Amino acid sequence: MIGLSRDGDVVTIELQRPDRRNALNSELCLAVHRGVEQAERDGARVVVITGQGTSFCAGADLTGDAFPEHFGQILEDMLTAVEAASIPVVAAVNGPAVGAGTQLAIACDLRVVAPGSFFEIPSTRLGIAVSNWTIRRLAALAGGGVARTILLGGERVHADQAYTCGLANKLGDRDVATQWAKSICELAPLALKHLKLVFNDDRIHDHPTPEQAAAFEAAWSSEDMKEARRARAEKRKPKFVGK
C-alpha cells in the first residue's frame, strides 16, 4: 500500500495503488497515518508524501474496503496526523490530486507540484459536502477566490495557477521536493516546530455551527447524492433537484 524509504533525515512515503491511481481506502489512510508517526519516532527531520506512477491521489476509493462505514473518521485521523506532525511534511504532487487527494496535499505543510498536475474537489458534482477544515484550509493556502473556484465553481486548478496563487510552493518533480526537504533538514527543528504550531493556530479547527452541521448532514443524506451515484454508474450527467 505504501513504500517507505529514508535518505538521511528525509523519509519518503509513497502511495502505492497505481492501478487505482493511488485512491485512498481505509488501509492506505491507516498506512500513511502510521508512516508519518513512525517517521517522527525514528527521528526524521522532514517527511515527503508522493504517489506512485502518474497520479498523486485520485480521491477516495471504497471498493472492497473492509471499513467503509468508518472511512470518514479514518481519513480525518490521517489528515490530522499529517497536519499535527511536529516535523515539516512536503507533498510531492506528481499528478492529479482529486478530492481526498487534494485534502492530503493541503494537510501537508508545503507542496511541490509537477507540471501537468491539478487540484480538484468534485463534491458538488457528487452531491456531497466537504468539511469546514477542507474549505478553510484551502482558502488559507490558495486564497478565497481560488478556493471558491475549486469548490463553488467545480473547476480544476492546474499547476501554473496553483503556483501563482500560492497553493503550490514550488513547481517541480519528486527530485525537486526531495532536494528541498534535504535543505529544510539543515534548519533548526525547534524553530520549525514553533512555526507549524503558529501557522496551524487559526479558525480551521473551529467546530461547525449548528446551521453548518445541519447543511452538511443534509447533503450527505440527500436524494441528490443518490442521484449522483446512479448517474456515475450509468455514465450520464446527474440531474440535481436540491432534495
Side-chain angles (χ1 to χ4, degrees):
M1 276 290 183
I2 64 170
L4 283 170
S5 59
R6 182 160 184 159
D7 182 0
D9 289 325
V10 177
V11 168
T12 298
I13 297 174
E14 182 182 66
L15 310 182
Q16 293 183 340
R17 292 189 78 204
D19 56 316
R20 304 298 295 175
R21 294 178 296 147
N22 301 319
L24 296 170
N25 59 9
S26 297
E27 184 180 356
L28 186 52
C29 288
L30 289 169
V32 172
H33 185 160
R34 292 166 183 157
V36 170
E37 292 184 339
Q38 187 64 50
E40 277 196 277
R41 287 194 295 268
D42 291 344
R45 291 283 191 92
V46 181
V47 172
V48 174
I49 298 178
T50 192
Q52 188 178 59
T54 58
S55 291
F56 177 69
C57 176
D61 174 23
L62 304 186
T63 305
D65 196 325
F67 310 103
E69 66 273 20
H70 303 298
F71 175 77
Q73 187 61 55
I74 292 171
L75 172 65
E76 183 178 338
D77 290 346
M78 178 198 68
L79 298 174
T80 299
V82 172
E83 183 189 17
S86 63
I87 57 177
V89 182
V90 179
V93 182
N94 57 300
V98 180
T102 288
Q103 290 177 299
L104 176 56
I106 65 176
C108 297
D109 301 292
L110 300 166
R111 282 149 298 284
V112 178
V113 181
S117 303
F118 61 81
F119 297 92
E120 180 182 26
I121 300 179
S123 57
T124 50
R125 292 198 295 277
L126 300 175
I128 59 177
V130 295
S131 64
N132 282 22
W133 175 88
T134 302
I135 299 165
R136 289 171 175 166
R137 180 82 165 189
L138 188 60
L141 294 172
V146 174
R148 287 168 184 257
T149 295
I150 293 174
L151 292 168
L152 288 175
E155 294 188 5
R156 297 174 175 176
V157 168
H158 293 269
D160 288 346
Q161 185 182 359
Y163 180 67
T164 299
C165 73
L167 179 56
N169 302 98
K170 287 181 181 286
L171 295 177
D173 59 13
R174 178 171 170 171
D175 287 342
V176 172
T178 300
Q179 289 304 312
W180 197 16
K182 287 181 177 179
S183 71
I184 294 171
C185 287
E186 299 174 2
L187 305 177
L190 296 181
L192 290 171
K193 180 179 180 179
H194 170 256
L195 286 170
K196 283 200 62 167
L197 289 170
V198 175
F199 276 129
N200 291 331
D201 181 19
D202 52 28
R203 293 183 59 243
I204 288 173
H205 293 286
D206 287 356
H207 292 296
T209 65
E211 293 81 7
Q212 290 169 348
F216 182 90
E217 293 299 330
W220 276 95
S221 61
S222 68
E223 288 300 318
D224 279 349
M225 184 194 72
K226 297 173 185 176
E227 162 62 8
R229 291 185 174 182
R230 287 192 297 267
R232 190 171 185 179
E234 296 167 7
K235 298 182 179 180
R236 60 174 174 81
K237 287 187 176 181
K239 297 179 181 178
F240 295 130
V241 296
K243 294 182 180 178

